[in-house]
Amino acid sequence: MGLEFMPIFKEWAGAYDDTVAGGDREYAEVFSNYNEMLHMIAEKSGQTVLEFGSGTGNLTISLLNAGKIVYPIEPSAEMRALAQSKPELEKVDFLTGDMENFPVPNDNIDTIAANFVFHHLNGIEKKQALKKYATLLPKGGKVIIGDTMFVSQIRFDDVITEAVKAEKLTLAADLQREYYPLLPDLENYFHEAGFAVKFWQINTFAWIAEAVKK
C-alpha cells in the first residue's frame, strides 16, 4: 500500500483526529460530513468486514456500533497505538498489513472497506488490489471505499489551483503528491475486476464507491 507514505502516516498520526473533526482549515472541506461518511460506509457494509487503513479507528468504531464483525488492518504502528488507546477499541486486535499485503482472517469476509486510504495506491496498484479483493469475496460481496476523488482531470486541476489561491499550500502539495482517483478510471478498475459500482458524493472532495461483486 504505497508504503513510501509511511513517514506521512507517522507525521499525521497525532493530529489526525483533530483534522477530521475540522481543526485544520486547509482540510476542513475535505473532511466535512466525515461522521456521516463513516455511518454510510458502516450501513452499506455486510456483516464481516476486512477494513484497510484503519488509522486511528474511527471507521472501526462506526462498524462495531453498527453490529459488524471487523478485522482492522493498519501498517502504521503510531496509528494502531492511537486506535487502541480509545476505550471502545481496547480489546480489538489491529492487524499489521496494507491494502496489497495483508493477513486474511479465517472467517467469511463479505465486505472490504477503506476510508481515506485508497489514494495511496497508484493506478496499477489499485487495479491489482481490486482483482485480489475479488478473489476473497463471494458473489454479492462488497468493496466500499470512501476517499477524495474527482469527476475529471479538469476538475482535479481546478481544485489544486483553487487551493493555491486560497493559500492552502499543504493541501495543494498533498493533492499533487498522492494518487487521487478520477471516478471514470476507478469505475473501469472495478468493472475489470468483476464489480458493479455506484458512487455517492459526500462533499466537494470526498465520495463513497460502493462496488458489488457480480
Side-chain angles (χ1 to χ4, degrees):
M1 177 196 84
L3 294 180
E4 68 270 27
F5 297 114
M6 288 293 285
I8 296 174
F9 302 157
K10 183 175 182 178
E11 178 184 338
W12 268 64
Y16 188 77
D17 282 346
D18 179 64
T19 299
V20 298
D24 185 331
R25 81 167 190 94
E26 291 205 31
Y27 289 85
E29 175 57 25
V30 176
F31 293 110
S32 64
N33 303 320
Y34 179 72
N35 289 331
E36 291 83 349
M37 187 180 199
L38 299 182
H39 178 76
M40 190 171 179
I41 293 173
E43 288 300 307
K44 289 182 175 295
S45 294
Q47 184 57 33
T48 307
V49 184
L50 192 62
E51 180 199 354
F52 289 119
S54 51
T56 58
N58 297 322
L59 178 56
T60 313
I61 291 172
S62 289
L63 289 163
L64 291 172
N65 287 342
K68 314 297 183 178
I69 298 169
V70 189
Y71 295 95
I73 296 176
E74 170 57 49
S76 167
E78 292 79 13
M79 289 284 195
R80 290 196 307 272
L82 285 168
Q84 292 193 296
S85 71
K86 296 180 177 180
E88 307 96 318
L89 300 174
E90 287 178 351
K91 297 181 180 180
V92 174
D93 184 17
F94 283 81
L95 306 174
T96 302
D98 58 67
M99 286 183 289
E100 291 187 288
N101 302 289
F102 52 88
V104 179
N106 185 21
D107 208 339
N108 295 317
I109 301 297
D110 59 27
T111 304
I112 292 172
N115 199 42
F116 287 113
V117 67
F118 204 55
H119 62 268
H120 293 119
L121 298 181
N122 63 35
I124 292 173
E125 292 168 336
K126 286 182 174 70
K127 288 183 180 183
Q128 293 172 339
L130 292 177
K131 289 178 180 178
K132 188 171 186 177
Y133 303 162
T135 67
L136 298 177
L137 293 169
K139 183 178 179 180
K142 290 185 176 183
V143 175
I144 304 176
I145 295 170
D147 210 334
T148 297
M149 306 178 193
F150 298 94
V151 297
S152 67
Q153 186 65 47
I154 291 174
R155 180 57 187 152
F156 185 24
D157 294 342
D158 286 346
V159 167
I160 295 172
T161 299
E162 291 164 8
V164 171
K165 287 182 178 178
E167 298 185 349
K168 298 179 179 180
L169 302 183
T170 303
L171 173 60
D174 181 358
L175 291 170
Q176 294 173 84
R177 178 181 57 234
E178 303 185 31
Y179 308 111
Y180 297 95
L182 304 182
L183 267 65
D185 291 340
L186 192 53
E187 184 174 21
N188 287 336
Y189 299 163
F190 273 117
H191 287 169
E192 288 175 10
F195 293 90
V197 62
K198 294 181 180 179
F199 294 96
W200 314 84
Q201 188 166 14
I202 302 300
N203 58 45
T204 302
F205 289 82
W207 296 69
I208 291 174
E210 179 188 16
V212 179
K213 183 177 174 181
K214 298 177 183 177

